[in-house]
Amino acid sequence: MSPYLLGLRLTGRRVLVVGGGRVAQRRIPALLDAGAIVTLVSPSVTPALDDLIAAGRFTWEARPFQVGDCDGAWLVQACTDDRAVNGAIAAEAEAKRIWCVRADDRDASAAWTPASGRVDEITVAVTAGGDPRRAAGVRDAVVEALRDGTVQARRSRTKPVGVALVGGGPGDPGLITVRGRQLLAQADVVVADRLAPRALLDELPSDVELIDAAKIPYGRFLAQEKINELLIDRARKGAFVVRLKGGDPFVFGRGGEEVLACAEAGIPVTVVPGITSAVAVPAAAGVPVTHRGVSQEFHVISVHVPPDHEQSTVDWQALARSQGTLVLMMAVERIEAVAQALVRYGRSADTPVMVVQDGTLPTQRALSATLATVSERVAAAGIRPPAIVVVGEVVKVGQEVEMVRAGRVP
């Protein structure tokens, strides 16, 4: 017959585990997480359990099972590798009306330990007729579906409130964080940037309000003040609002302004960091922003105005003197002025440069140049935003990697 499933609340209750092998090694941490007071009876234990014992997480009695060990327990786990011993443990527990799980015999066991997983406040437990491998496979599939939003959780009575600033990553929809994907699946309203992972928006239910907050360079855009107003207005009406951004909300994403606006309006805000394109896009092109013996530092610079502009707060002279990697955002249309400034202030005109357009997307393309040639090469190739510019010797590291992969050892 099918088992009757319960969620045991074990906080402060004694649980007896007999046997200190791999089965106990898996089950004891879960029991401790549930708040149980665990007593382990076993002549020996695995190193992982020994580490927990040294930390004072539970009590270990280094001996074989004895009659009377079940006294005072609410639950017993018989995990030895001796069938006769497990049978004796189960018999004593049965006589004392204590639920006992036998690790060696599902048919003789009074209870089964399900394969379980947790996503936020949702706990998934699967028994699969006592087949642990099948149960684990089903558990994994359900947990993954909850994490990536495939299984919707928008109707939960404990759904999030207010506004969530979610960093969507550099463009590839697979690079959004698990937490970001979860909150997106629970949204009533999504306010999306132009550089947010657009493929994820196609997965939203039809009743989700989608607001396009794109800021197109030298084109149409939604003013930041209006975006702030929309976030506050929808949240005040009881909707859970996700502000979906490209990269990370706090790396040239104006996330700080939105948090301040919501805080001033009394709206709770959750910030979910994202993978910034400043690091991810060079990596996607095979270029590390730091490399032992080459670069011990990297600088991320917004080039929304050229170096000689009165609104620029960037110390280009210091950057030119630095030996670190420069990662330039929004620099493509001002690349000539940037290259000239760096050379003028001391960087070699032969410094390697890589420009990566549409990083992490199927349309990604990259070109290599130097500070002396990058402007001409960008214009000839028709490179357009969004693109990341990497300046420094690490570009050579990426080129070396590609040569090795191609079988052309430098």
Side-chain angles (χ1 to χ4, degrees), residues 70 73 78 83 88 128 285 308 325:
C70 292
R83 183 176 179 82
D308 58 352
T325 305

Side-chain angles (χ1 to χ4, degrees), residues 129-144:
D131 182 339
R133 291 189 178 182
R134 185 182 182 196
V138 174
R139 181 270 319 274
D140 292 344
V142 175
V143 167
E144 181 63 25

